[in-house]
Every structure is written in C-alpha cells, then in structure tokens.
Amino acid sequence: MLKTGGFRRIVLALVPGLVVAFSGGSGALAAGADAYSTGVQLLTARKFPQAAQYFSQAVKVSPRQGMALYYLGLSKHYQGDRQGAMESYSRVLSEYPGTEACNLAVRGMSSIDPSILQQLGLAGGGQSSGRRQQRQEASQGADDLSMPPECRVNFTKESSCMIVDGRVNGRSTRMLFDTGAENVVFGMNHIQEMGINLGKSEQSVNVTGSGSRGSQKAGVYLVELSLGNIVRKNFPILVMEHADNYPIIGQRFFDELKYTVDNNSNCITFQRRTGQVASNAPLTAYDVPFERDGKEIRVMTEIEGKKVPMWLDTGASWVSMSASQAQACGIVVPDDARVVQTRGVNGLSRTRFVRVRSMRLGPVDKRDYEIGVADSLPSPYPLLGGDFLQNQQFTVDYDRGVIHFGRH
C-alpha cells in the first residue's frame, strides 16, 4: 500500500488563511481534547480570539504534543498580536523540539522576523532541528532546466497513484509523481540499487510524512534528474537512510511547468509556463481556483454541503484526513469502520474508512464516497488523493491559478 501522504514542504512562511465554515458557539471552555478540537474549528472559521481561548485551555490540560501551543500562537498572530505569537512560538521551540509543531512555529516566527532563521542557524547551510518548517529549505544550487516546448510522460497506476520512469545521473528508477510533496526524496537504498555514489552530503534536513516514527534525517545532494525529456542539472534531492516506497518526485521538480494529467490515457503532458497571468480569462464550470500554501495546492471541496479546504495530493491513494479534521467536518467514524494498515514516509499508520453521502470538487461529484481517517496525518489540511480523481483529465495551470477539468 502506498503512503497516504507526501513528504511535506521544507518552507519557512506563515500558514495561509483557513476558510472552513463553522457555526460553533462561545459556551464554557471544554477540557483537553474537546478544547483542542473546538479551537481547531474556530481557527478554521477565522474566529481567532475565541480560538485562542480554547487553545489556551488545551495547553493547560492536554498539550497535544505542542500543536495546541502552536495554534495558540497562530491565533494571536492572526489577531496582530506579534509579541504574544512570538512568545507561544518560542515556547514550542524550547519545549517541543523536533516536532511538527516546532517546524510550524519556526515558519510563523520567520514571517514576523526573517532574521530568526539566522539566529536559529537555519539559513545558509547547517542542519534543521525540527520537522516540516524547521526542515531547512534545501539548497537550490544553479539548477538548470532543459526541455522541449511540450513533453509527454507515461505512467502506470498503483493504488490510485501515478508511477513514472525517472533517471538520476543517467540511472533509471521508478518514482511516485506526488503533487503533495515539495521536494524530490529518495532512500539511500534506492541510490544503492541504482549503483550511484553520491559522496558525502554537506547539508542535512529533517523530513516528515505519514507514519508513526516522526521526522527523519536526510542528506541534500545535487544530481542530474530527468523525467521524460525534462532534464534538471545540479538539482537538489533529499536522501533518507531508508525508504520503503518508491522515490518521490515532488513540486520542486515540476512547479515551473504547466501539466495535464490524463487518467484515461495514463500520461502527463508538461509545458513551459508563460509566466503571464490571464486575468481576463473568465472561469468556467470546469475551472477550480486554487491557492498556494508554499508549494502545496489548496482547493475548496464540499463534503455533504460543507466547504472543506484540501491539499491536492496525487501521492495519496485516497482522500485522507485526521480525526480532528473529520470531527470538524461533522464526520463520525463508526466503531465497526473498515481498518487498513498503511505504510507511509515515516512508518506504519492505521486508517479507518467512513462513507459520506457526497463529496464535490468543481465538476467532479462523488456519491456514497469513502474517506480515510488516519491516526497519523501531520498535515494542517485533509489530502485530496488520487482515488477521487480517477478517470479524470485535469490541467494544473499555475499562471491562471486554476485546475481545469476536461469535459466528460
């Protein structure tokens, strides 16, 4: 079974606005997990003062491994209380090093004061001390892109995911095409299987994905990476000690390109971006606007009529969300739910499945659709996995900021 989440981005920027509608009241503060869940709902509804109250209570009763404290800082940040936000973020760094909350806190701090990266040793080399956000941005190097005006790459399907043929320093390898990953990530076992000697890495970062093991160290190496007729020289890849699944080819490789995924022909067609925004082009019923969270693509879906933002993640086999995200959507997981053990970036995780009456993204409308609720999903948004887009043809157009679906 392929992972239910991708390697997440190595960025340092404030979490963008959350837009899930919520009609929660302002009654007495709950305790522990209830306070945390209510705080998440209020935060996604942009009710920041109320969210801060609940997260403050959750920090006292049930810290949730630092996430409650991080969200307390984020709620203050959105209110314009930068000093209060920095105090909460700083506590996360000191009390919960190496966690998802730590990385997110670094991202928040850097948006308030960019010099914090230098102070923490996260700029210009060195090692990161935390997870997604404290995973330092891998060195770009003098990355050279070479490709024809249009390039077609075939893929095969495994567990609703797209597997493509790539090449590293001229050596062939199968890779997972993952819109939910920022970087290109290998295991050293993949490198050895290709017979490549990368030498010694002078830089390391922490990487995180689905699974129960937490973050893992990865070295940063510059290689020549090819996909079809697309060649990128001096390109940074991350190499972990070991990876169970396919190597991952993420956004850093292809986000300068416009690409069309055709699930009927099993191919991806890449084109160079124009860089010009077609502001006068009207949206049609087949266009779904998206926003960027770093390099992630965030779209607005509807689950049983409720608006739910999700990350487009072709590296996920199905639509997946955490228990708290499911609760915020009003989704109840039954005691007798189907259970699947999944193997992700950082080990095994349990996913329980529940059916919803309807789920919709633009022209794609699913009825009696099954959603996975994962025990370990370190993502601020649910993941829109490959199963939902089965049999669809869609174009990711970064210049227009839309996903355009073909007519069926």
Side-chain angles (χ1 to χ4, degrees), residues 33-111:
D34 290 339
Y36 179 86
S37 298
T38 302
V40 170
Q41 294 172 2
L42 290 166
L43 181 62
T44 59
R46 305 185 69 82
K47 297 181 179 180
F48 305 126
Q50 298 95 320
Q53 285 184 297
Y54 279 91
F55 286 128
S56 179
Q57 179 72 4
V59 166
K60 297 176 182 177
V61 179
S62 178
R64 288 292 187 98
Q65 297 181 345
M67 286 303 298
L69 184 56
Y70 163 71
Y71 280 137
L72 174 61
L74 185 62
S75 299
K76 293 178 180 179
H77 198 155
Y78 277 133
Q79 293 180 70
D81 181 5
R82 295 192 170 191
Q83 181 177 351
M86 288 292 277
E87 290 174 355
S88 294
Y89 293 153
S90 296
R91 280 189 58 191
V92 175
L93 264 66
S94 62
E95 297 176 21
Y96 302 96
T99 65
E100 172 71 3
C102 181
N103 296 302
L104 292 169
V106 171
R107 185 167 72 174
M109 294 174 74
S110 68
S111 70

Side-chain angles (χ1 to χ4, degrees), residues 5 17 19 29 36 63 89 94 144 147 167 231 246 267 281 304 368 372:
V19 290
L29 294 180
Y36 179 86
Y89 293 153
S94 62
D144 297 323
M147 66 171 292
R167 297 184 305 280
V231 181
Y246 289 103
C267 73
E304 297 184 348
D368 190 28

Side-chain angles (χ1 to χ4, degrees), residues 291-310:
E291 296 182 7
R292 301 299 299 273
D293 292 347
K295 290 186 180 295
E296 308 289 355
I297 298 172
R298 173 160 46 94
V299 294
M300 185 63 71
T301 68
E302 290 185 15
I303 298 179
E304 297 184 348
K306 296 180 181 179
K307 293 187 180 298
V308 181
M310 292 188 176

Side-chain angles (χ1 to χ4, degrees), residues 98-396:
T99 65
E100 172 71 3
C102 181
N103 296 302
L104 292 169
V106 171
R107 185 167 72 174
M109 294 174 74
S110 68
S111 70
I112 296 174
D113 180 7
S115 69
I116 198 71
L117 303 184
Q118 292 285 353
Q119 298 174 35
L120 295 175
L122 298 177
Q127 296 187 359
S128 62
S129 60
R131 231 176 118 191
R132 188 181 321 170
Q133 271 61 52
Q134 223 165 318
R135 293 177 303 189
Q136 166 188 2
E137 185 79 47
S139 298
Q140 291 279 358
D143 176 19
D144 297 323
L145 169 64
S146 172
M147 66 171 292
E150 183 173 292
C151 175
R152 176 172 169 146
V153 174
N154 294 322
F155 62 81
T156 58
K157 279 290 188 73
E158 293 189 26
S159 299
S160 302
C161 295
M162 294 178 281
I163 310 301
V164 297
D165 291 317
R167 297 184 305 280
V168 179
N169 293 347
R171 303 295 179 92
S172 297
T173 182
R174 302 281 280 161
M175 303 185 73
L176 172 66
F177 182 78
D178 192 348
T179 61
E182 174 169 353
N183 291 282
V184 175
V185 187
F186 289 80
M188 186 55 73
N189 51 309
H190 300 135
I191 301 299
Q192 292 172 348
E193 288 169 3
M194 287 185 283
I196 297 174
N197 182 3
L198 294 177
K200 182 179 179 181
S201 172
E202 299 299 328
Q203 181 186 9
S204 66
V205 297
N206 286 345
V207 295
T208 294
S210 61
S212 58
R213 290 200 300 256
S215 61
Q216 297 187 61
K217 289 287 185 183
V220 182
Y221 300 86
L222 298 180
V223 300
E224 178 180 293
L225 181 62
S226 305
L227 181 64
N229 291 326
I230 305 171
V231 181
R232 306 199 74 151
K233 297 182 179 180
N234 201 30
F235 186 84
I237 65 171
L238 307 183
V239 182
M240 303 165 52
E241 181 178 350
H242 183 87
D244 293 323
N245 296 322
Y246 289 103
I248 289 175
I249 186 164
Q251 289 276 355
R252 173 164 283 182
F253 184 87
F254 52 79
D255 77 340
E256 295 180 16
L257 308 175
K258 177 181 178 179
Y259 55 92
T260 299
V261 175
D262 189 337
N263 280 294
N264 295 314
S265 300
N266 281 11
C267 73
I268 310 170
T269 302
F270 295 91
Q271 298 173 305
R272 284 187 177 273
R273 292 169 58 183
T274 65
Q276 298 177 354
V277 178
S279 57
N280 296 326
L283 294 179
T284 72
Y286 296 92
D287 292 327
V288 175
F290 65 79
E291 296 182 7
R292 301 299 299 273
D293 292 347
K295 290 186 180 295
E296 308 289 355
I297 298 172
R298 173 160 46 94
V299 294
M300 185 63 71
T301 68
E302 290 185 15
I303 298 179
E304 297 184 348
K306 296 180 181 179
K307 293 187 180 298
V308 181
M310 292 188 176
W311 276 343
L312 177 69
D313 191 350
T314 60
S317 296
W318 45 69
V319 173
S320 186
M321 59 180 61
S322 67
S324 62
Q325 290 164 350
Q327 183 180 20
C329 295
I331 296 174
V332 178
V333 182
D335 294 335
D336 60 350
R338 181 170 70 93
V339 178
V340 172
Q341 286 288 115
T342 58
R343 183 176 295 279
V345 171
N346 289 315
L348 295 175
S349 177
R350 183 186 69 158
T351 296
R352 297 170 294 161
F353 286 90
V354 59
R355 289 193 173 275
V356 296
R357 292 188 299 272
S358 65
M359 180 171 169
R360 183 170 178 263
L361 174 68
V364 185
D365 195 352
K366 304 280 188 178
R367 301 289 168 165
D368 190 28
Y369 184 70
E370 196 172 50
I371 289 175
V373 179
D375 287 353
S376 178
L377 187 68
S379 166
Y381 296 98
L383 308 178
L384 186 68
D387 176 72
F388 186 83
L389 300 173
Q390 289 279 32
N391 304 319
Q392 297 295 322
Q393 181 191 74
F394 61 93
T395 300
V396 178

